[in-house]
Amino acid sequence: MFKKRRFPVICLAVTVAMFAAGCKKKVPAPAPPPPPPPVVTPTPPRPPAPSITFSAEPTSIQRGQSSTLRWQVSGEVTSVSINQGVGAVQNTGSRNVSPNDSTTYILSATGPGGSSTANATVSVSAPPPPPPPPPPPVTRPSLGQRLDTDVQDAFFDYDKSDIRADARDALTRDASALKSILSDFPGATIVIEGHCDERGSAEYNLGLGDRRANAAKEFLVGLGVPGDRLKVISYGKERPQCTEQDEACYQKNRRAHFVPGQ
């Protein structure tokens, strides 16, 4: 009887023990997985600042002249401007400037990537002083003017063609003047006119005038004046220098006179 009662107790004890052992070996449930990391959207890279090419041509001018500014801006650009009163400009272009003094122009370009600047300097110098005015043109005296101012008449005695003392002195001075004149006028000839006073016939005076002109020519040729450039002509009493009927007037008409040849 006792043994029959012990058996269920033993069975219960074994069951409790097994239940207790089973409870000790139970593994807890695994933890849930961590949430995925947040998705980070990368920030797009910032574009570079605009690139500038800027120059002045020429870089040196005189006051009153002009220089040409030339530029080219590349990249993403929102605005381009030049100081010194030029203002906003296109990305590419040119502009003539005429500064009164040396000036540095600054080109500024702005875009999403920032701002860039470039300089171009124009040096201005004072213009040289104006050249002095040219000297007034030298008016070259004509052949006739030279003969009137530099050559004297040779005078003769009544009814004579001899070279007297005062005529010799005058013709000696004339020889130097005639050489200079003929040198300055290489293609010219000079005519020696023979004149007489009103006394005597026209025919006689033409002959006397011819002798007087030839006498003056021979004297000058003897002093070195080229004879081929001296011509003679007689007017007798047809072209008097003075018309009074007295000896002083007659003397003025008895002469060898010099005029340009044709």
Side-chain angles (χ1 to χ4, degrees), residues 226-248:
D228 59 338
R229 300 183 65 184
L230 296 176
K231 310 299 180 183
V232 295
I233 188 172
S234 175
Y235 288 106
K237 62 179 182 178
E238 303 302 322
R239 295 188 179 184
Q241 186 179 18
C242 179
T243 57
E244 299 296 329
Q245 294 182 338
D246 54 46
E247 182 56 32

Side-chain angles (χ1 to χ4, degrees), residues 154-158 161-171 219 247 251 254:
F155 295 96
F156 295 85
D157 289 331
Y158 173 69
S161 59
D162 300 333
I163 305 297
R164 66 190 193 189
D166 61 333
R168 182 181 299 272
D169 294 339
L171 291 173
F219 187 88
E247 182 56 32
Q251 176 63 88
R254 298 193 298 263

